[in-house]
């Protein structure tokens, strides 16, 4: 029996999601560029983000506005007064030996609290708090964390603005954790404050416990796929320990993506170990109702609203609308195509089915391909006017994604035009019947077996036969044999 099916050992998962505010030009407390990707290590640093003595942080006000917008989108209560704290810890990724963050105890007030995200299907995951804080530097290992001879430190991202979004332990499975994160990413991308496509822009620490066990934190999981994998591993590890009568230790563990295991990172700190105290170099932030309403009025359409609109405006299914709005880029691509194509239901099926499948197989985001809305519409029109079959369309779509060539050029260059020559297809039908006598006998008794013969005819033409005509010819030949 798979451990996930054992009813008496339920799992509780809470997430701390760290989202870089990638729309900001500078870091949270200094003027260093926040656009550090593709730069040489340690080139986006200054005395402020390195914590040199005598330097003073200056708050990036746009980060506060972004955080308020996120809070409103997550149905949270925005604080009228909030302040920063110092979270003290010694670790190589933190040059100051403390992180400027926020705190929800001992007089601390996060920028927002008490919200929720509604998953498709109606289940709510509560959000306990939203905080602004600075990102630490990045630690790089040669090989795995356990075998690397050295730890390399890149402080380019140290000080980049993070929105930390903390959930209650409402999540009940690794799969649900992944679904929650996809929904959250879509909300942030629709707001335009964070791009989940950028490497490391959305990271996750997961607190997971098994009923009867102790909470373990798994840190720095870099993708939704890895979150599900890491939680599945950790859930199995903890259940195994409990079944053997052993204790689960309270600790912080590291997810090793290469080996797909969690390993001990450090014994988990208690709250008091961080010695939180108010940041003395930053004044409290006052947020008025006017500020909140001004930001609310500027908010763009969010995924749930967009889903409803896509269903109403284009008549597509709820399932397709949910998949499209889970990814802002995909939803925008759909609408750009639909503006020039009259069959949005068919279009949505192609995007949600074939296009997404190819992106997954290739390990690419849509923007990393050469496919444009004009390509997609052009390919569908070739199917609609009978130039190519749907099967050939799938091949053309894959080639467009890689080469960026026009669908008409691909069809012409590869000779993929649909075959509708009746006499030619009748000769091939004869050949199929001669070479597959058993299948012919089966098809005379069972209509389902007819598909095999049609498939053989399509195979002979490398998928280029008109599928409707192929079906007609095979059926006609079978009726003749049956004497009908």
């Amino acid at each position: 029996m798979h451990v996930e099916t054992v009813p008496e050992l339920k799992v509780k998962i809470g997430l701390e999601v760290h989202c870089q505010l990638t729309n900001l030009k500078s870091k949270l407390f200094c003027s260093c560029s926040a656009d550090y990707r593709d730069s040489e290590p340690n080139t986006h640093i200054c005395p402020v983000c390195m914590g040199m003595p005598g330097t003073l942080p200056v708050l990036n006000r746009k980060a506060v506005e972004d955080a308020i917008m996120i809070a409103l989108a997550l149905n949270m209560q925005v604080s009228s007064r909030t302040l920063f704290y110092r979270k003290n810890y010694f670790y190589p990724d933190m040059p100051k030996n403390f992180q400027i963050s926020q705190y929800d105890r001992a007089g601390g007030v996060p920028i927002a609290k008490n919200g929720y995200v509604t998953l498709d299907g109606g289940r709510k995951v509560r959000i306990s708090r939203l905080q602004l804080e600075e990102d630490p530097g990045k630690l790089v290992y040669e090989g795995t964390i356990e075998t690397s001879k050295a730890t390399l430190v890149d402080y380019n991202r140290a000080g980049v603005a993070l929105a930390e979004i903390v959930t209650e332990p409402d999540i009940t499975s690794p799969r649900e954790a992944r679904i929650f994160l996809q929904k959250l990413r879509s909300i942030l991308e629709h707001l335009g404050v964070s791009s989940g496509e950028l490497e490391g822009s959305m990271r996750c620490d997961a607190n997971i416990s098994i009923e009867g066990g102790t909470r373990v934190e798994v840190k720095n999981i870099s993708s939704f796929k890895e979150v599900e994998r890491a939680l599945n591993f950790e859930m199995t590890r903890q259940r195994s320990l409990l079944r053997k009568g052993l204790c689960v230790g309270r600790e912080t563990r590291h997810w090793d993506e290469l080996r797909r295991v969690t390993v001990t990172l450090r014994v988990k700190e208690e709250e008091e170990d961080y010695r939180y105290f108010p940041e003395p170099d930053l004044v409290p932030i006052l947020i008025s109702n006017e500020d909140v309403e001004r930001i609310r009025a500027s908010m763009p359409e969010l995924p749930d609203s967009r889903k409803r609109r896509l269903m109403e405006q284009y008549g597509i299914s709820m399932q397709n609308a949910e998949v499209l709005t889970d990814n802002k880029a995909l939803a925008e691509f759909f609408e750009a195509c639909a503006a020039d194509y009259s069959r949005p239901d068919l279009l949505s099926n192609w995007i949600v089915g074939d296009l997404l499948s190819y992106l997954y197989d290739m390990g690419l985001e849509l923007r990393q391909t050469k496919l444009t809305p004009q390509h997609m519409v052009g390919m569908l029109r070739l199917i609609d006017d009978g130039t190519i079959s749907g099967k050939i369309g799938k091949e053309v779509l894959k080639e467009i994604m890689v080469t960026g060539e026009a669908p008409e050029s691909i069809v012409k260059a590869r000779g993929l035009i649909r075959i509708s020559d009746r006499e030619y297809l009748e000769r091939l039908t004869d050949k199929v019947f001669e070479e597959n006598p058993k299948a012919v006998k089966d098809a005379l008794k069972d209509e389902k077996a007819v598909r095999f013969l049609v498939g053989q005819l399509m195979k002979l033409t490398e998928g280029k036969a008109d599928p409707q005509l192929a079906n007609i010819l095979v059926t006609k030949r079978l009726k003749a044999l049956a004497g009908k």
Side-chain angles (χ1 to χ4, degrees):
M1 181 183 293
H2 191 283
V3 290
E4 198 170 353
T5 66
V6 178
E8 69 271 20
L9 295 179
K10 294 179 180 175
V11 64
K12 292 170 69 174
I13 297 169
L15 300 177
E16 294 180 14
V17 190
H18 299 96
C19 307
Q20 287 186 344
L21 301 178
T22 55
N23 63 325
L24 300 180
K25 290 184 168 54
S26 57
K27 294 183 178 181
L28 185 55
F29 298 115
C30 68
S31 59
C32 286
S33 170
D35 184 15
Y36 64 87
R37 292 174 178 82
D38 301 325
S39 298
E40 290 296 315
N42 299 310
T43 54
H44 290 244
I45 57 176
C46 72
V48 176
C49 56
M50 289 294 96
M52 296 296 179
T55 59
L56 291 173
V58 177
L59 177 63
N60 186 333
R61 293 289 302 185
K62 182 70 171 61
V64 177
E65 295 190 356
D66 284 355
I68 293 172
M69 188 178 285
I70 295 171
L72 295 173
L74 300 182
N75 309 292
M76 305 186 76
Q77 301 166 4
V78 179
S79 303
S80 58
R81 181 181 182 276
T82 183
L83 62 162
F84 287 98
Y85 270 62
R86 286 190 182 183
K87 179 182 180 181
N88 297 276
Y89 67 93
F90 296 93
Y91 208 63
D93 61 2
M94 187 55 65
K96 298 195 290 281
N97 286 333
F98 64 85
Q99 180 186 32
I100 301 180
S101 180
Q102 295 194 288
Y103 195 43
D104 62 343
R105 299 176 190 174
V109 181
I111 198 161
K113 56 186 180 182
N114 299 335
Y116 61 87
V117 168
T118 304
L119 304 181
D120 294 335
R123 222 178 82 70
K124 290 182 179 178
V125 175
R126 291 171 296 160
I127 309 291
S128 59
R129 65 182 186 275
L130 165 64
Q131 300 183 165
L132 268 179
E133 63 183 26
E134 56 183 345
D135 208 348
K138 182 178 181 181
L139 303 182
V140 181
Y141 303 99
E142 295 172 316
T144 71
I145 189 173
E146 291 184 315
T147 60
S148 179
K149 294 180 180 177
T151 300
L152 307 176
V153 188
D154 180 3
Y155 288 116
N156 278 348
R157 80 175 188 192
V160 168
L162 286 181
E164 184 188 58
I165 298 163
V166 183
T167 78
E168 296 287 350
D170 292 346
I171 298 169
T172 56
S173 71
R175 175 65 180 161
E176 190 171 72
R178 181 173 179 169
I179 291 170
F180 169 82
L181 289 169
Q182 286 172 334
K183 184 70 178 283
L184 180 61
R185 169 179 163 170
S186 179
I187 291 171
L188 298 180
E189 289 188 338
H190 275 79
L191 291 174
V193 299
S194 184
S195 172
E197 293 182 357
L198 298 175
E199 180 267 330
S201 63
M202 193 170 175
R203 308 188 301 276
C204 181
D205 300 342
N207 290 296
I208 175 170
S209 63
I210 305 296
E211 194 173 44
T214 305
R215 179 164 57 95
V216 170
E217 182 179 23
V218 184
K219 287 194 79 66
N220 288 326
I221 315 172
S222 60
S223 72
F224 302 158
K225 185 169 58 178
E226 295 302 324
V227 167
E228 191 171 0
R229 283 176 177 161
L231 289 173
N232 268 319
F233 176 86
E234 188 58 25
M235 183 174 65
T236 304
R237 185 189 73 84
Q238 292 186 29
R239 282 178 169 167
S240 178
L241 288 173
L242 293 173
R243 283 175 177 152
K244 293 174 183 173
L246 302 174
C247 293
V248 176
R250 183 178 168 86
E251 61 178 335
T252 298
R253 297 178 70 85
H254 169 82
W255 172 239
D256 187 331
E257 287 189 14
L258 293 177
R259 294 187 299 154
R260 296 185 180 175
V261 297
T262 64
V263 296
T264 297
L265 192 63
R266 57 181 184 262
V267 176
K268 179 67 181 168
E269 296 88 348
E270 302 292 339
E271 287 279 331
E272 57 268 27
D273 293 330
Y274 289 122
R275 296 185 294 114
Y276 280 99
F277 63 85
E279 168 58 55
D281 293 331
L282 289 166
V283 298
I285 307 164
L286 303 179
I287 303 171
S288 68
N289 288 334
E290 290 74 18
D291 291 334
V292 173
E293 293 311 314
R294 174 178 55 79
I295 292 169
R296 191 194 304 276
S298 70
M299 289 175 65
E301 182 183 42
L302 294 176
D304 285 345
S305 299
R306 188 173 207 169
K307 180 179 74 177
R308 290 191 291 273
R309 181 175 60 77
L310 292 185
M311 292 169 60
E312 292 171 5
Q313 183 173 343
Y314 298 104
I316 65 175
S317 69
M318 177 185 290
Q319 183 180 2
N320 282 1
E322 285 175 353
V323 175
L324 289 172
T325 50
D326 275 348
N327 183 321
K328 184 188 177 192
L330 213 59
E332 289 179 341
F333 183 79
F334 166 77
E335 294 212 68
C337 294
D340 199 30
Y341 187 66
S342 61
R343 300 176 65 187
D345 53 340
L346 178 67
L347 171 65
S348 69
N349 288 337
W350 270 89
I351 293 176
V352 169
D354 297 277
L355 177 56
L356 261 186
S357 173
Y358 297 151
L359 289 172
Y360 182 81
D361 291 343
M362 295 176 184
L364 297 175
E365 300 279 354
L366 180 59
R367 68 175 175 82
Q368 295 172 309
T369 74
K370 295 184 177 179
L371 180 69
T372 67
Q374 291 72 31
H375 287 141
M376 190 78 191
V377 170
M379 188 275 294
L380 290 174
R381 284 181 176 153
L382 289 179
I383 296 174
D384 291 347
D385 67 16
T387 303
I388 59 174
S389 66
K391 185 174 181 181
I392 293 296
K394 296 174 191 289
E395 288 185 33
V396 173
L397 177 58
K398 273 198 285 190
E399 187 159 338
I400 295 171
M401 292 169 72
V402 175
T403 65
E405 289 187 39
E408 297 83 359
S409 302
I410 294 172
V411 169
K412 185 177 180 182
R414 292 182 53 189
L416 298 175
I417 294 174
R418 177 185 288 186
I419 300 173
S420 300
D421 184 328
R422 191 181 186 94
E423 290 185 9
Y424 175 66
L425 291 178
E426 282 179 338
R427 290 199 297 275
L428 292 182
T429 305
D430 291 343
K431 182 178 171 63
V432 169
F433 274 59
E434 287 171 11
E435 293 178 351
N436 298 278
K438 184 175 183 305
V440 171
K441 285 183 181 177
D442 292 342
L444 287 168
K445 301 173 187 173
D446 183 0
E447 287 188 2
K448 292 181 181 175
V450 175
R451 294 178 193 163
F452 175 81
L453 295 172
V454 175
Q456 292 303 303
L457 180 53
M458 297 300 293
K459 187 178 178 181
L460 277 180
T461 60
E462 299 178 334
K464 291 184 282 188
D466 181 335
Q468 190 175 3
L469 181 55
N471 194 59
I472 290 172
L473 294 176
V474 169
T475 304
K476 180 183 174 186
R477 183 70 190 277
L478 285 170
K479 285 182 177 177
L481 287 174
K484 293 182 180 177

